[in-house]
Amino acid sequence: MPRSALPALLLLALFTSGCDDESDPGSDPSTGYVPPSLEQLPDCDTIAATLGPMVEGMKLVEEEGGGRYDNVSVYGIGCTWLSPEMQSGNAFEMVKGGGLTIAISVDQEPSDATLLRQMGMVYDDHRVEDIGGFVIDLSKQLDPAAQLSIIGPQVVVGRVTITVAAGGVALQKVESMQGITNDQAIRGAVAVHNMLR
């Protein structure tokens, strides 16, 4: 996955944040979930340890500042891991290869779950509801068993959004990422949310 894919993921997260403050209880920061500061956000190695098998055998792409960023209305961290095929240097192997990206963004305002649900962009998942959040599905047709793509699920709790996505050289689904499903991405995002508390 090209490094240029990360800004696109962050833009997707920004698109769905700060819409309104009349949100579902699960997206209300007053539920007691205090978002971590930029300095408190885990580094990519810690996130990888939490994701476990999802990134096993993959190599972290080194980013300036460790992937951390701080904009006017949002801050966070983005991490990308490449499959062994992408690291091989062999063009025939790289076509089969891909990468997994996870982005944690903390917004000034929570996403508006009510509006997003009206737009058909909320996917119901009990694991996410159990931690007071909801899943944003930009495709409006999330199949939990399907292979994770470049437009992956976003797990939102209060002001914190965790986006997980995967793709290949041209952002398409690739062979090396077949074992990572949307369901696994949601499970991994929930695990990272729990780590942040």
Side-chain angles (χ1 to χ4, degrees):
M1 176 185 306
R3 294 173 65 172
S4 59
L6 183 57
L9 293 176
L10 299 178
L11 283 175
L12 288 175
L14 287 172
F15 167 75
T16 56
S17 66
C19 299
D20 197 297
D21 58 4
E22 295 178 4
S23 44
D24 283 354
S27 63
D28 184 351
S30 66
T31 57
Y33 179 22
V34 178
S37 66
L38 179 61
E39 294 73 22
Q40 292 172 329
L41 287 173
D43 59 24
C44 293
D45 288 336
T46 303
I47 294 170
T50 301
L51 295 175
M54 283 182 65
V55 294
E56 188 174 343
M58 295 189 185
K59 180 180 180 181
L60 177 67
V61 176
E62 298 296 334
E63 298 281 358
E64 184 178 352
R68 295 176 191 269
Y69 63 92
D70 189 1
N71 297 329
V72 175
S73 60
V74 60
Y75 61 85
I77 185 169
C79 307
T80 298
W81 295 268
L82 300 180
S83 70
E85 295 87 351
M86 288 292 285
Q87 305 167 43
S88 70
N90 181 320
F92 295 103
E93 287 297 308
M94 291 177 72
V95 172
K96 304 175 187 176
L100 178 78
T101 296
I102 183 166
I104 304 174
S105 60
V106 183
D107 299 281
Q108 287 183 344
E109 299 291 338
S111 298
D112 187 338
T114 300
L115 176 60
L116 290 166
R117 185 174 291 280
Q118 291 171 352
M119 295 169 64
M121 295 170 59
V122 172
Y123 173 79
D124 293 315
D125 187 290
H126 69 88
R127 297 166 298 184
V128 179
E129 293 166 358
D130 288 346
I131 62 171
F134 60 96
V135 178
I136 297 176
D137 169 29
L138 295 175
S139 72
K140 301 184 181 181
Q141 51 187 5
L142 182 72
D143 177 359
Q147 181 179 344
L148 180 66
S149 70
I150 190 62
I151 301 178
Q154 300 179 19
V155 177
V156 182
V157 180
R159 296 190 291 120
V160 182
T161 300
I162 297 180
T163 304
V164 187
V169 175
L171 306 184
Q172 79 282 17
K173 295 179 181 179
V174 291
E175 183 179 322
S176 65
M177 298 287 103
Q178 284 180 350
I180 303 178
T181 64
N182 288 318
D183 186 75
Q184 289 175 305
I186 292 172
R187 184 170 69 239
V190 168
V192 175
H193 267 297
N194 284 328
M195 176 183 62
L196 296 178
R197 294 174 183 261

